[in-house]
């Protein structure tokens, strides 16, 4: 049985959902880091794929499924760890997994936020 499943999200498009209960501090998703990109390669990534490029530990990674389907929320339930998503609080089976893109997006990326949480910043960009 998988720890997470991908299905339609209320936030946007596809989302990643917990398929079991996670405890705070537990690794929810380990990223597939087989697609690491050089600065030159990042420039060639098509516009609609750019939101899937993460910048962590000074490395660009083209996110693979399912982790690329983790939607952003300004009130996310995971933090970015060492190429993984870590539960920020207890997460119940069936909850959508959300991440804070401002932690791992590329320095020049900006996106409008429609997460709808009370503390929504309205715009997603590198902090
Ligand atoms: Zn937001």
């Amino acid at each position: 049985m998988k720890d997470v499943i991908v299905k339609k999200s209320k936030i946007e498009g596809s989302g990643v959902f917990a398929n079991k209960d996670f405890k705070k501090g537990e690794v929810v998703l380990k990223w597939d880091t087989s697609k690491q990109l050089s600065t030159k390669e990042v420039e060639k990534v098509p516009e609609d794929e750019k939101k899937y490029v993460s910048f962590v530990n000074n490395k660009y990674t083209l996110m693979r499924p399912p982790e690329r389907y983790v939607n952003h929320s300004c009130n996310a339930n995971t933090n970015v760890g060492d190429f993984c998503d870590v539960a920020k609080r207890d997460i119940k089976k069936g909850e959508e997994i959300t991440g804070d893109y401002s932690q791992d997006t590329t320095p020049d990326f900006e996106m409008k936020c429609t997460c709808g949480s009370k503390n929504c910043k309205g715009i997603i960009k590198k902090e």
Side-chain angles (χ1 to χ4, degrees):
M1 208 166 69
K2 287 189 181 158
D3 290 353
V4 295
I5 47 173
V6 175
K7 59 180 188 180
K8 205 173 169 336
S9 163
K10 279 190 199 124
I11 301 174
E12 209 214 330
S14 299
V16 177
F17 293 79
N19 202 26
K20 59 166 233 173
D21 292 346
F22 289 95
K23 287 247 173 301
K24 184 182 173 181
E26 209 177 318
V27 172
V28 177
L29 266 170
K30 256 199 180 334
W31 302 356
D32 174 349
T33 54
S34 60
K35 295 268 183 201
Q36 283 187 333
L37 307 173
S38 67
T39 316
K40 275 224 161 78
E41 288 169 325
V42 168
E43 284 166 15
K44 286 182 203 144
V45 173
E47 226 26 68
D48 58 341
E49 291 263 301
K50 280 210 160 84
K51 64 177 175 181
Y52 299 131
V53 178
S54 73
F55 185 65
V56 174
N57 295 355
N58 280 315
K59 286 197 175 84
Y60 292 101
T61 308
L62 183 61
M63 303 287 274
R64 311 288 295 156
E67 53 268 26
R68 67 155 59 186
Y69 297 122
V70 172
N71 275 311
H72 166 90
S73 170
C74 296
N75 191 21
N77 54 19
T78 65
N79 273 320
V80 174
D82 196 9
F83 301 107
C84 59
D85 293 309
V86 181
K88 221 166 144 174
R89 55 169 173 80
D90 291 353
I91 300 170
K92 289 245 174 306
K93 183 177 176 179
E95 270 188 71
E96 177 162 7
I97 306 297
T98 50
D100 187 345
Y101 286 9
S102 67
Q103 293 177 345
D104 68 338
T105 193
T106 55
D108 59 345
F109 184 80
E110 251 186 55
M111 191 174 123
K112 242 182 101 179
C113 186
T114 53
C115 76
S117 58
K118 278 189 189 125
N119 60 342
C120 182
K121 296 179 198 117
I123 202 136
I124 306 164
K125 58 180 183 189
K126 190 90 180 168
E127 272 179 348

